[in-house]
Amino acid sequence: MKAPHVEYRNVRKSYDGRTLVVEDLNLAVEKGEFLTLLGPSGSGKTTCLMMLAGFEQATSGAILVNGESVHDLPPDKRNIGVVFQNYALFPHMTVGGNLAFPLEVRRLRASERAERVARALRLVQLEGFEARRPGELSGGQQQRVAIARALVFEPELVLMDEPLGALDRRLREEMQFEIRRIHRELGVTIIYVTHDQQEAMVMSDRVAVFRNGRIEQIATPETLYEEPERAFVAQFIGENNLLGASVTATDGDICDVDTGSGVVRAFDVQGSAVGDDVILAIRPERIGVEPDSGQYANVLTATALDVVFIGDHLRVRLRVGDNEDFIAKIPNIVGHGTVLPGDNVRIGWATLDGRALPPDPSISQGDIEP
Amino acid sequence: MKVGLSPRLRAAGLTVPLIAFIAVTFIAPLGTLLTRSVYDAEVAEILPRTMAVLADWDTSGTPSEAAYATIAMELLRARDERTLGRAATRINRIESGLRSVVVKTPRRLGRDVGTEPPGAETWRDALVAIDEAWGENATWRAIREAGQPFTSRHFLNAVDLETRADGSIAAMPESRRIYVPLYLRTLWVSLGVTALCLVIGYPIAHAIAHAGSRWSTTLLVLVLVPFWTSLLVRTTAWIVLLQNQGVVNDILVALGIVADDGRLAMIYNMTGTFVAMTHVLLPFMVLPLYSVMRSIPTRHMDAAASLGATPMQAFRRVYWPQTLPGVGAGSLLVFILAIGYYITPALVGGQSGQLISNMIAYHMQTSLNWGLAAALAAILLLAVIGLYVLYDRVVGIDRMRLG
């Protein structure tokens, strides 16, 4: 069997000898894959990247590249491109000098260097910028130079540590597609760190959701959104309504749960037993407000607290049981109907759109948006 | 609206005290100093008529009888006005040995001298009788020379040149060349101290700038505490450490590294000057370096490593170039301070560790040859300005960062 391009085996990292920043990490990245490590700040994702780049040493466990441990390899021998958070461009060199630097330390001939620098600049659409200094460039241009520099020596593996964090929203979205294009063009393996879930969704082949030094779930963006396996993921990726509930009956993959304001059927993620506490997660856009009778298997009554017109949808905040932050989206389509604050309404959803997730002491119901 | 000074003019008015202060404490003394190095009218004022008579002299042989008569009169009057000593000192500087001649002449002539030479036919005979020097051409040349209010003598003297009898400028005899070797020694010591400060200060500054916050504070305090301590205390501490019976020698003897009768001479010589000056000037190197290094993100070294640079390459190509403004500032600061350094060499330099400043102080305080002192100082000033301009040309003064 072919070894994965990058593999973390039982990797632990602690800075002070007591608290683990990374706990027992196991992760395999395939060649040519775009993997994003997604998580809130302090979840250990950057540390994972820095250990792979060689700037930090794992406390225990092994990191393998192409099946071989890189433990004894200093960072300058790893041949991994790194794009840093604040670009780390060398201000005393020109753009051309920055790009030529990795080629010079590799003792490439001058003609070859010039050719590769020009090619890398073309790749990031900065032709003719060789003579400029980083200080004379805009943030977006500096970002492109940093990416070009990490690619110019043609590494097979490129790490990016929140590279778009300093850019404004419009530029960030532009760069997301740019990075995606470059990834497809070159076919390199990219491991990308971000705390922005939308960024992760746009670019990645797979996303690993980090929390407190552990991976909560690793899957394609679509799977993460549609089939979260943990309440944290359900809440972190996109918007979700979480309701505390307890299992009253099980039937294969389906279980009945009591939400306190009615019993509903849901998809059982973990194989619960009767009496188990679960967290029920339902996406706001999957909820029908005042549905036709028989349209949905699960129907609860709720009170509308607030209605906001967003444009493409109406955003309704509801009280369901003691959860006062239950959101439903009414799509802005012909005949969509509406509700007024204070109305008692029926809400409903399909059984498979309700996911019964394992309980999580640090996540209470309604605790949306990390 | 009230009509008054424009706001800009009033704001400029706030700088008046500062400008006045600089004018009084800096520009005026500097001007006086530079003037002193080329202008000295003392002899011309004490012996005005002699100078008038000598102006017509063709500088060969001895001057006319009128000159002898005039100088006798003026020396007598100078004695009564108590200005004789000052004139004698100045004449003596041009031709040593003339001090006693000038001082004793009115004394031998005695009091109550009329317009006739006492006990001789002519004033010339009377003076030559007092001292043969009055019959020599060199004596009169020296007096004439001393009477010139504007003179290049001090500057020539300061670079070990002299005016020959025929008016040509030539190097002094080897035994009397002191200032040029001293300038060279000062230059060499300053360069050496600057280099030592850089070699010692660079790693310290690096440690302060990039160590953890607790360590860096401690280190910074360790650098600054000596900085806040009196210079005299620190220099004296070096005497305690380095003297013949001092701590370092005692330890070396106790360890058997040197014999008891072979104790190292580490103070009152060049070694003492080097050690103490390097220590005293170190903070001036560390602080600008630290301030520049602190602004260099540590990520740059990581970035260089990720691009394939060995630690040495990363330092040489990425770190070192970025610290150059600090290296330049620190070196210039230390060098300029070192080149004019006075107290430390005076205290621990002994004979061989004296620098040009000590010579300037000697001429200010002991030999009272202010003209020469001024000339020496002016040359020093010129050298520093020259270096500054050179630095500006090569590195660019706007790239310098002091903190």
Side-chain angles (χ1 to χ4, degrees), chain A residues 83 124 142-151 160 175 179 182:
Chain A
V83 180
V124 296
Q142 289 186 37
Q143 181 55 66
R144 287 165 191 265
V145 175
I147 292 172
R149 189 178 66 173
L151 294 169
M160 300 190 181
M175 283 307 295
I179 292 172
I182 290 169

Side-chain angles (χ1 to χ4, degrees), chain A residues 310-369:
Chain A
I310 302 291
D312 60 341
H313 68 271
L314 287 174
R315 188 181 169 86
V316 187
R317 190 161 65 84
L318 302 149
R319 175 164 59 227
V320 178
D322 50 4
N323 181 350
E324 297 206 335
D325 219 3
F326 198 96
I327 305 294
K329 290 178 181 172
I330 303 175
N332 190 357
I333 49 180
V334 176
H336 60 75
T338 189
V339 291
L340 293 172
D343 285 356
N344 282 320
V345 291
R346 288 177 303 115
I347 54 172
W349 61 86
T351 296
L352 288 179
D353 284 335
R355 291 177 71 81
L357 303 166
D360 190 320
S362 62
I363 294 177
S364 61
Q365 60 174 23
D367 181 12
I368 320 272
E369 291 295 319

Side-chain angles (χ1 to χ4, degrees), chain B residues 297-347:
Chain B
T298 42
R299 273 285 177 250
H300 280 184
M301 291 301 273
D302 286 344
S306 79
L307 296 171
T310 61
M312 197 57 221
Q313 285 173 319
F315 173 78
R316 203 169 49 80
R317 297 280 317 273
V318 175
Y319 196 81
W320 169 255
Q322 292 192 65
T323 60
L324 280 181
V327 171
S331 299
L332 198 64
L333 205 57
V334 169
F335 184 81
I336 287 177
L337 285 170
I339 210 167
Y341 229 62
Y342 163 64
I343 300 177
T344 305
L347 288 175

Side-chain angles (χ1 to χ4, degrees), chain B residues 103-148:
Chain B
V103 171
K104 79 183 171 192
T105 301
R107 195 169 64 227
R108 294 280 184 80
L109 287 172
R111 305 211 166 263
D112 307 320
V113 185
T115 49
E116 291 303 312
E121 277 295 296
T122 59
W123 282 105
R124 185 189 148 97
D125 292 345
L127 293 188
V128 172
I130 291 168
D131 197 305
E132 304 242 308
W134 286 115
E136 286 164 19
N137 172 263
T139 308
W140 287 98
R141 279 175 169 278
I143 292 170
R144 198 178 117 102
E145 164 88 41
Q148 303 296 324

Side-chain angles (χ1 to χ4, degrees), chain A residues 29-73:
Chain A
V29 187
E30 296 307 321
K31 211 169 191 69
E33 190 177 6
F34 194 125
L35 177 81
T36 296
L37 312 184
L38 172 69
S41 57
S43 58
K45 54 197 192 306
T46 294
T47 305
C48 285
L49 211 62
M50 294 301 135
M51 286 191 290
L52 179 54
F55 308 138
E56 305 280 356
Q57 279 293 358
T59 308
S60 68
I63 299 174
L64 292 82
V65 175
N66 293 324
E68 283 179 35
S69 169
V70 291
H71 183 271
D72 297 322
L73 221 51

Side-chain angles (χ1 to χ4, degrees), chain A residues 148-160:
Chain A
R149 189 178 66 173
L151 294 169
V152 73
F153 57 98
E154 296 175 2
E156 293 181 332
L157 176 59
V158 177
L159 314 181
M160 300 190 181

